[in-house]
Amino acid sequence: MSPITGLLKKDFKISRWLFFTSLILLLIVLGAGFGYSSYAKQHAGTFVIFILSGLALILYTPLMMFSVLKIEGKNQLWLYSPRSSLTLLLSKFIVILTYQVILQILLSIYGAISLYWFGKSVYEQIGVGFFIEAIVYLNIFILLLGIFFSCWLCFYWAFYHACSHYPKLKPFRWLIILAMFIAYNIFEGLLLKITIINDWMTKFSVKIISTPEFSYEKGDWVVKFGEGTIPVLPFLYYVILSIILVLAAARLLERKVEV
């Protein structure tokens, strides 16, 4: 068995029950969406469940990463494993993102059933090709946003435990992390206020289905879709930033941080 295969199996083993719990919970929520919408005879209600579930899945990856890191901290693998810290982190990302993709596929199927079968009388009908394109963009957005938050979480987690090497800093670790969070967001906000940078960041964009509108017609809620755009370059920026954060977290852990 290769080292990376062993790591993947180990990370799957320590996280599988969290995943199965999440899977069952999502299936219950989606099933309840169909059930209640059918009972209330308001088939547009499934769209509310779709949106809320999508928002919840944005937080799924970071929450799973936090849970796995917390479990990992109990066995102190970072201190004794011959594998690099980057490999240890990437293994967790692979396992968790596999879970994330499975859940997002289920949500996409739910959206398709709602649009083309269960709620076709109250949803504005769009072409299958446009729906597939929109659902792909939506899934990429959810996936990348979850990865981005997880990368920040890995960095903060590693930094938090790295501060334990410095007794004078240890009592103020949370304050330092809070200060870093605030400072970065202020810096990013000021950067985007520069006209040249703001124009450049919004120069290239892709069209997606957006701005859904609810309207009440003849006793039924009806969902209509508009068309919006998402800028591309900010995604590239956040991808680069995510890589930097993971490398920084791995570097901190390479110092054999005791967690």
Side-chain angles (χ1 to χ4, degrees), residues 17-160:
W17 293 115
L18 292 172
F19 166 67
F20 289 132
T21 301
S22 305
L23 177 61
I24 293 172
L25 180 60
L26 179 62
L27 290 173
I28 291 174
V29 170
L30 299 184
F34 281 132
Y36 182 77
S37 296
S38 180
Y39 172 78
K41 297 182 179 179
Q42 296 292 342
H43 291 186
T46 55
F47 188 75
V48 177
I49 300 298
F50 180 82
I51 294 297
L52 293 177
S53 299
L55 293 174
L57 285 182
I58 291 176
L59 299 177
Y60 180 76
T61 299
L63 288 175
M64 279 291 289
M65 180 63 74
F66 178 76
S67 299
V68 173
L69 289 174
K70 188 174 181 181
I71 295 172
E72 193 74 87
K74 295 179 180 180
N75 58 32
Q76 300 294 313
L77 178 64
W78 311 101
L79 293 175
Y80 309 114
S81 174
R83 308 270 70 82
S84 69
S85 295
L86 181 60
T87 303
L88 297 175
L89 287 175
L90 290 179
S91 173
K92 289 169 177 51
F93 270 105
I94 291 172
V95 170
I96 293 173
L97 291 180
T98 300
Y99 296 154
Q100 178 86 21
V101 169
I102 293 172
L103 297 180
Q104 288 185 205
I105 289 174
L106 287 175
L107 184 61
S108 299
I109 294 173
Y110 174 85
I113 294 175
S114 297
L115 181 62
Y116 294 107
W117 177 67
F118 181 77
K120 62 180 180 180
S121 62
V122 295
Y123 283 92
E124 180 184 15
Q125 292 302 293
I126 58 176
V128 175
F130 192 32
F131 171 78
I132 293 175
E133 181 181 348
I135 210 71
V136 167
Y137 284 134
L138 178 62
N139 277 291
I140 291 174
F141 175 77
I142 293 175
L143 198 63
L144 290 181
L145 203 55
I147 293 173
F148 179 67
F149 290 150
S150 297
C151 292
W152 271 111
L153 189 146
C154 287
F155 171 73
Y156 285 142
W157 184 83
F159 182 84
Y160 176 86

